[in-house]
Amino acid sequence: MSEVSDVRKSDRPFDQPRTLGAVVELSQTSWLVGGMVPGLQRSPLKKLRADKEALFRLLERWRDEALGAGHEITRIAVACESGRDGFWLVRWLRAQGIEAYVIHAASVAVSREHRRAKTDRLDTALLKRAFLGWLRGEIGHCSMVMIPSREEEDAKRPSRERETLMKERTRLINAMKGDLARLGVRNFNPKLRRAREKLDELRTPEGTALPPNTRAKLTRDLERLHLVVAQIKAIEAARLERLEASPEVKPHAMILLLARVVGVGIETADMLVREVLSRPLRDRRAVARYAGLTGAPDESGSKRREKGLAKAGNARVRRGMIQLAWRLLRFQKDSALVQWYQERTSDGRGDTRKTMIVALARKLLIALWRLVTTGEVPEGFILRPAL
């Protein structure tokens, strides 16, 4: 089944008398399925155990009921809300020949006129209305999430795991420095190779050794730190091996091309390709919107103000691009993007620089997207020689 070209609306004609629609409210132990079955006066609602085969049998039963009511079903469309279950159910349904989608949970509008009651039954009815409007091709009812393959999902794991390990590494180092600072010790570097030996040599300002419980805790923290560092190195080494083994694969070719840009490392290139640049995004606006690098204007009558970033996209990409934009100012000083930024921040005000760096990050992401999709090198960019 081809991927959705526009996540805001369906690109297929909607023939309601021949279309069986269903939405699934997922939970850990049970699923609530709401149907839109042609020819039936009732709106069927069925609670199932969390079983894909039971869901498939229910859809087959509803199709037979529609056929008995005089409606031949030529299309079965199923949608569920994004959540902890991921995309496995949708991939399985598509393998059975059923049209299946995942609704972006935050894209479904809810009433704000009073305190909203929330039950699985009410949520299912809300999803049915949103999904029906999406099937009709109307923009504004809901948006769909692009369904990655198992291979695409698995390819994101190393980068995300490394990000978690880096946070754990920083946490351990800060915890050890904090424990020592409470004793007046400030000249210990936990990142040294001989940190374990130096720990036994430490003395407090009073000239005494470290207390036994504190020393035991620091020893355990050092052991965890060494394990985390070893795992980080293993992830980085495995990534380099994959790139060297198959550089012609499209995502790998994108990573190697991005890594040629001075100021962009392998880790940043891998994150950008896996998270955003390898996705079939429609245009440059969709690229910026996915990263959450778009504004949130507040306009009413004569009032005009900007509330800041929408932050509705991928937080990893957004953080990485803002960090990369700051690096660009150092490593690509003669590029057109940096010159554009320097012209608009010539007043030297700190708030202007912070605001414009987000605009630079947006422009930079679009430029890198064009680089890996069309080969268009941003004006003035310095590239390393190809490997």
Side-chain angles (χ1 to χ4, degrees):
M1 184 179 297
S2 61
E3 187 56 86
V4 181
S5 59
D6 189 345
V7 298
R8 302 170 300 170
K9 62 183 180 67
S10 175
D11 57 357
R12 291 185 57 180
F14 182 51
D15 185 4
Q16 189 165 355
R18 295 175 178 269
T19 301
L20 191 158
V23 296
V24 187
E25 179 71 18
L26 302 174
S27 66
Q28 188 170 358
T29 58
S30 63
W31 297 343
L32 186 62
V33 187
M36 297 172 283
V37 185
L40 299 188
Q41 296 297 325
R42 74 183 195 278
S43 296
L45 193 66
K46 181 68 174 178
K47 191 171 186 178
L48 306 172
R49 67 180 187 277
D51 180 17
K52 61 183 188 300
E53 299 291 348
L55 174 61
F56 185 75
R57 289 193 297 269
L58 178 63
L59 295 174
E60 290 289 321
R61 194 187 82 192
W62 282 349
R63 181 168 62 178
D64 293 340
E65 291 183 11
L67 184 60
H71 291 265
E72 181 183 358
I73 300 300
T74 59
R75 179 186 183 189
I76 300 179
V78 180
C80 60
E81 203 173 26
S82 57
R84 63 180 296 275
D85 290 271
F87 306 103
W88 71 269
L89 179 61
V90 171
R91 284 195 292 258
W92 184 84
L93 288 172
R94 290 185 175 186
Q96 311 308 311
I98 296 175
E99 190 176 333
Y101 304 98
V102 173
I103 299 175
H104 197 300
S107 69
V108 180
V110 297
S111 174
R112 299 191 302 169
E113 61 181 349
H114 52 71
R115 182 175 294 175
R116 185 172 74 96
K118 187 182 186 304
T119 64
D120 286 346
R121 180 179 59 83
L122 294 176
D123 286 349
T124 302
L126 188 65
L127 289 178
K128 284 171 60 176
R129 291 193 294 271
F131 187 40
L132 185 60
W134 186 88
L135 288 173
R136 289 197 298 260
E138 300 172 6
I139 295 177
H141 288 275
C142 64
S143 296
M144 296 298 170
V145 181
M146 290 185 179
I147 309 301
S149 65
R150 285 189 303 174
E151 292 74 18
E152 291 172 338
E153 269 196 302
D154 188 63
K156 297 178 182 179
R157 295 303 109 198
S159 178
R160 295 187 176 186
E161 182 186 2
R162 183 184 180 278
E163 181 182 2
T164 302
L165 291 172
M166 291 296 293
K167 292 179 180 178
E168 179 65 11
R169 174 177 175 266
T170 301
R171 187 194 68 80
L172 288 170
I173 291 174
N174 290 341
M176 285 186 280
K177 288 183 176 180
D179 290 337
L180 291 172
R182 283 191 289 271
L183 298 174
V185 180
R186 302 181 181 276
N187 59 348
F188 179 72
N189 186 359
K191 294 182 288 186
L192 296 177
R193 289 186 178 180
R194 296 184 63 251
R196 178 65 183 81
E197 291 79 3
K198 290 184 177 294
L199 186 64
D200 297 330
E201 304 171 1
L202 288 180
R203 293 294 182 270
T204 65
E206 294 88 351
T208 61
L210 297 178
N213 289 334
T214 301
R215 185 169 64 249
K217 177 184 180 300
L218 291 172
T219 301
R220 290 190 292 269
D221 285 345
L222 279 175
E223 291 174 356
R224 284 196 289 268
L225 178 61
H226 292 160
L227 175 61
V228 168
V229 171
Q231 291 179 341
I232 292 173
K233 291 181 179 179
I235 292 173
E236 294 173 346
R239 179 174 53 208
L240 291 177
E241 290 178 3
R242 289 192 297 270
L243 291 176
E244 293 174 357
S246 53
E248 72 284 351
V249 177
K250 185 176 181 180
H252 293 177
M254 288 181 174
I255 293 172
L256 294 174
L257 178 58
L258 279 184
R260 291 182 56 194
V261 178
V262 175
V264 180
I266 287 291
E267 173 59 33
T268 302
D270 182 72
M271 182 275 295
L272 290 176
V273 170
R274 301 300 184 186
E275 297 289 346
V276 59
L277 298 182
S278 60
R279 299 171 65 90
L281 296 174
R282 185 176 63 257
D283 53 24
R284 61 184 181 86
R285 292 182 178 178
V287 174
R289 185 168 56 248
Y290 179 78
L293 291 171
T294 55
D298 184 8
E299 298 183 1
S300 178
S302 60
K303 182 180 70 174
R304 298 286 189 277
R305 71 186 184 97
E306 186 69 40
K307 294 188 291 186
L309 284 179
K311 294 187 178 181
N314 191 312
R316 291 182 179 87
V317 176
R318 185 166 58 252
R319 290 193 303 266
M321 285 309 305
I322 291 177
Q323 294 171 4
L324 182 59
W326 286 114
R327 289 206 304 271
L328 188 76
L329 301 180
R330 176 182 176 186
F331 293 101
Q332 301 285 354
K333 296 181 179 180
D334 297 328
S335 64
L337 285 178
V338 172
Q339 297 299 323
W340 175 87
Y341 174 83
Q342 298 293 1
E343 291 176 1
R344 285 157 179 78
T345 57
S346 57
D347 57 3
R349 294 174 53 187
D351 55 347
T352 303
R353 289 173 55 84
K354 290 174 64 177
T355 300
M356 293 307 300
I357 202 67
V358 177
L360 177 62
R362 174 191 170 104
K363 287 180 170 290
L364 176 59
L365 178 60
I366 295 171
L368 296 179
W369 172 68
R370 287 173 173 161
L371 173 63
V372 297
T373 54
T374 66
E376 178 186 350
V377 180
E379 183 181 353
F381 267 41
I382 303 174
L383 302 183
R384 300 183 183 94
L387 297 178

